[in-house]
């Protein structure tokens, strides 16, 4: 059972989703505005957020960015937007997953289970500290420092970095990252991995042409190395 914050202004969708989630054993906190959602995220600490993008007060993508400044709660975005650029923007803003409308109750429940399972598994299996050269990762605190300076990472960026750092010197395929970090086997989602690796490189101060920590093995995957 999880406490789920449902951010949706359509009453019919809210009623249907609330019923499906409640029947599955979850506690649902429905709200219709982004401002309400931001207050609840900070004060009530839900286990997961389902966020519609077409909100009346604040654009959903902007609301997601605001949410990420105060919480790393898992967020599943519900959207009618289907273009690659829109999906990349959502992932960049900090979404853990997304569903495109219309979707069934069974579909959203499966996504919820996968996101919650990944979050709990990662938390349970995390070591206290991972050190790779000047990079220090503290999984249980979800903190990263490079040369003593903190790095601001999204939840997904952190999960990818920690997974790679625990396997220094191993080539990790995109499929493995999708299975183990996303806990999904979605064919055709390799671009999602590439986007997150690109963001991580930027924050680590490197590029694909001049890598330090993250080295691409063409046709295979990516490998974390100790630059020292």
């Amino acid at each position: 059972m999880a406490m789920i914050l449902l951010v949706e202004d359509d009453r019919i969708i809210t009623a249907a989703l609330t019923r499906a989630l409640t029947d599955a054993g979850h506690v649902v906190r429905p709200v219709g505005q982004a401002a309400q959602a931001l207050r609840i995220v900070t004060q009530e600490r839900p286990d997961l957020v389902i966020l519609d993008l077409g909100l009346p007060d604040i654009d959903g993508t902007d609301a997601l960015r605001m949410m990420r400044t105060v919480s790393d709660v898992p967020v599943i975005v519900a959207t009618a937007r289907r273009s690659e650029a829109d999906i990349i923007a959502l992932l960049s803003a900090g979404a853990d997953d997304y569903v495109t409308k219309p979707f069934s109750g069974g579909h959203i429940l499966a996504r919820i289970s996968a996101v919650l399972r990944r979050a709990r598994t990662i938390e349970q299996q995390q070591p206290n500290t991972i050190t790779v050269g000047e990079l220090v990762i503290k999984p249980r605190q979800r903190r990263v420092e490079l040369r003593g300076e903190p790095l601001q990472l999204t939840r997904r960026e952190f999960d990818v970095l920690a997974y790679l750092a625990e396997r220094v010197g191993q080539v990790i395929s995109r499929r493995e990252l999708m299975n183990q970090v996303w806990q999904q086997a979605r064919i055709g989602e390799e671009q999602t991995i590439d986007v997150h690796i690109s963001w991580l490189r930027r924050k680590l101060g490197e590029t694909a042409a001049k890598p330090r920590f993250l080295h691409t093995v063409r046709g295979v995957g990516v490998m974390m190395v100790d630059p020292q």
Side-chain angles (χ1 to χ4, degrees), residues 2-15:
M3 200 280 250
I4 298 177
L5 174 60
L6 173 58
V7 191
E8 170 65 66
D9 67 326
D10 186 305
R11 294 183 180 180
I12 295 176
I13 295 176
T14 296

Side-chain angles (χ1 to χ4, degrees), residues 1-217:
M1 182 181 74
M3 200 280 250
I4 298 177
L5 174 60
L6 173 58
V7 191
E8 170 65 66
D9 67 326
D10 186 305
R11 294 183 180 180
I12 295 176
I13 295 176
T14 296
L17 274 177
T18 298
R19 183 166 55 252
L21 296 174
T22 302
D23 288 347
H26 298 299
V27 175
V28 183
R29 182 79 156 82
V31 297
Q33 295 187 338
Q36 293 173 291
L38 291 167
R39 178 178 56 79
I40 291 170
V41 163
T42 56
Q43 296 180 1
E44 301 183 26
R45 300 181 65 82
D47 297 304
L48 183 139
V49 177
I50 299 174
L51 177 65
D52 176 52
L53 295 186
L55 300 172
D57 58 338
I58 302 173
D59 177 77
T61 303
D62 292 334
L64 176 58
R65 292 192 181 97
M66 294 177 190
M67 204 172 288
R68 278 290 170 256
T69 66
V70 297
S71 174
D72 64 355
V73 59
V75 177
I76 298 176
V77 169
T79 176
R81 306 173 190 176
R82 297 172 180 269
S83 74
E84 178 178 327
D86 286 332
I87 298 305
I88 289 175
L90 292 174
L91 294 171
S92 179
D96 291 85
D97 202 354
Y98 65 90
V99 290
T100 52
K101 296 180 178 180
F103 53 84
S104 67
H107 188 162
I108 190 67
L109 286 170
R111 293 295 182 91
I112 289 169
S113 295
V115 170
L116 289 176
R117 183 169 61 248
R118 186 196 69 252
R120 289 166 180 164
T121 299
I122 290 173
E123 183 176 352
Q124 291 168 359
Q125 296 179 345
Q126 288 168 342
N128 289 325
T129 304
I130 306 169
T131 302
V132 182
E134 298 175 310
L135 185 67
V136 178
I137 303 169
K138 298 180 179 179
R140 296 183 183 179
Q141 292 77 38
R142 300 190 68 82
R143 293 183 58 189
V144 180
E145 294 180 357
L146 180 60
R147 292 185 288 275
E149 296 295 325
L151 295 183
Q152 299 300 319
L153 304 181
T154 67
R155 182 184 184 90
R156 187 72 78 200
E157 289 169 354
F158 182 93
D159 292 343
V160 171
L161 184 66
Y163 189 86
L164 294 172
E166 287 180 323
R167 296 159 180 82
V168 170
Q170 299 180 36
V171 180
I172 307 299
S173 69
R174 292 177 177 83
R175 177 62 59 85
E176 180 177 344
L177 284 173
M178 184 60 69
N179 286 340
Q180 298 301 319
V181 178
W182 273 257
Q183 292 203 347
Q184 297 177 21
R186 290 158 63 179
I187 298 172
E189 291 292 334
E190 289 82 1
Q191 67 176 13
T192 299
I193 304 296
D194 294 339
V195 166
H196 282 82
I197 295 297
S198 176
W199 293 333
L200 281 171
R201 281 194 170 118
R202 189 180 311 160
K203 293 181 179 181
L204 292 170
E206 62 180 61
T207 65
K210 295 183 178 180
R212 295 185 65 244
F213 294 99
L214 302 178
H215 290 246
T216 297
V217 180

